[in-house]
Amino acid sequence: MESGKHGIDGISPKPVTEIFKAADLQIEMAQTSAKKPDPNQLVFGTSFSDHMLMIQWTAARGWERPQIKPLQNLSLHPAVSALHYSVELFEGLKAYRGVDNKIRLFRPMLNMQRMLQSAIRSCLPVFDPKELLECIRKLVEIDREWVPYSNAASLYIRPVFIGTEPSLGLKITTKALLYVILSPVGPYFTKGTLDSVSLWADPKYVRAWKGGTGDCKVGGNYGASLYAQSEALAAGCQQVLWLYGDEHNITEAGTMNLFLYWINENGEEELVTPPLDGVILPGVVRQSILDLTRKWNQFKVEERSVTMKELVNASKQNRIKEMFGSGTACVLCPVSQILYQGKNLHIPTMENGLKLTSQLFENLADIQYGKMKSDWTLLVV
Ligand code: COI
């Protein structure tokens, strides 16, 4: 398995001084098992498996032994810092049931590394990503029957890390809880896999800014995006195209990284995505698309900024081939339209036959569902 090297510029991990160990896991099995949902009827993130992982931390005692327990409600003091000041972060990764009936995680170490970076940025305690990954692997192994028997569904793994300081004073937390829950999921968007979305692009809202937390997976980034999302819906669009800066650089779409496949200004066939400059989440699917297409070596692959002006010009000159979002939940999501400055910009992703989008989607699925051998997957069981 790869080691993963997601970094956030300017933040180097503090040495791990005290860590929890997967070898210390305590396991309490559920007495009953909930009914598993039909894999064809799954609504994203609404059903949950029988068990969860919980690991408590206090500044005074360090990490406690990790525990796998029956899924249960949390009991929290109403003053905890996660609820008042968003001392909180999360991750999202998936387990897939392969064609060989083996269960695999897709590039999980990249999620563990990113989670560590988010923890450092949130002043939450550090942990050893390898130990957390082994605890998660064990949790998925225990709930393996919750990994859907379907090549159109998967088990979404949601690690969460919250500050549980029971105080209204804003300070670095001295208490924290890391937990992981599992949810069998189908396509993220109700319309289905590889259906296109329209985007609403208005610079009056920004998702993230240089020096902010846009490159970390903290809950505040997501909750604060809903107001713009509601305006996008009111304008008849499905997602927000997040712009940044005076030049209206395109950054992300909804909760996804964004890719443009086009003939660039120099007449070159190119796949381009915004660079990891602090406002972009270092997505695992984003990284995988870059890694795959660079290996294919069929066209130029670049991480650089693209402005709305460049996009509008490319549209006028018929130079856009495909545009799509990427993320763990949706995997890939084609873009067909952008509403910008009162005008609808048509993006011909669908008419162009989704060539690159579906090639990438299938290549990723072949790896995830074990049809293609790859060192990007970790075998659970
Ligand atoms: C993911 O794509 O995994 C995300 O974290 C987005 C979330 C809103 C479901």
Side-chain angles (χ1 to χ4, degrees), residues 44 90 92 156 158 188 217 222 255 327-330:
F44 185 89
F90 68 98
Y156 188 81
R158 171 54 64 88
Y188 182 65
K217 210 159 172 69
Y222 293 75
T255 62
T328 294
C330 70

Side-chain angles (χ1 to χ4, degrees), residues 80-194:
V80 295
S81 47
L83 296 178
H84 293 258
Y85 306 123
S86 290
V87 182
E88 190 272 357
L89 61 95
F90 68 98
E91 268 301 325
L93 62 157
K94 284 176 173 171
Y96 301 83
R97 185 175 297 278
V99 286
D100 52 2
N101 207 25
K102 292 191 172 139
I103 294 169
R104 293 173 177 82
L105 304 180
F106 180 70
R107 309 193 84 176
M109 193 48 92
L110 296 185
N111 294 91
M112 298 299 104
Q113 301 276 355
R114 188 174 64 186
M115 186 164 173
L116 179 61
Q117 298 296 333
S118 300
I120 292 164
R121 183 66 170 83
S122 306
C123 292
L124 283 162
V126 292
F127 53 87
D128 183 337
K130 287 198 288 305
E131 297 297 329
L132 178 57
L133 179 53
E134 176 51 19
C135 291
I136 291 175
R137 192 204 61 73
K138 187 70 197 164
L139 176 67
V140 176
E141 186 185 346
I142 288 173
D143 274 349
R144 59 185 172 275
E145 281 309 306
W146 286 88
V147 182
Y149 285 80
S150 160
N151 62 4
S154 56
L155 186 71
Y156 188 81
I157 303 169
R158 171 54 64 88
V160 187
F161 200 3
I162 60 175
T164 51
E165 183 78 37
S167 159
L168 298 181
L170 176 62
K171 59 181 179 195
I172 292 173
T173 198
T174 63
K175 288 184 77 182
L177 169 66
L178 193 166
Y179 65 93
V180 181
I181 51 178
L182 307 175
S183 173
V185 297
Y188 182 65
F189 295 115
T190 40
K191 278 174 77 188
T193 304
L194 292 190

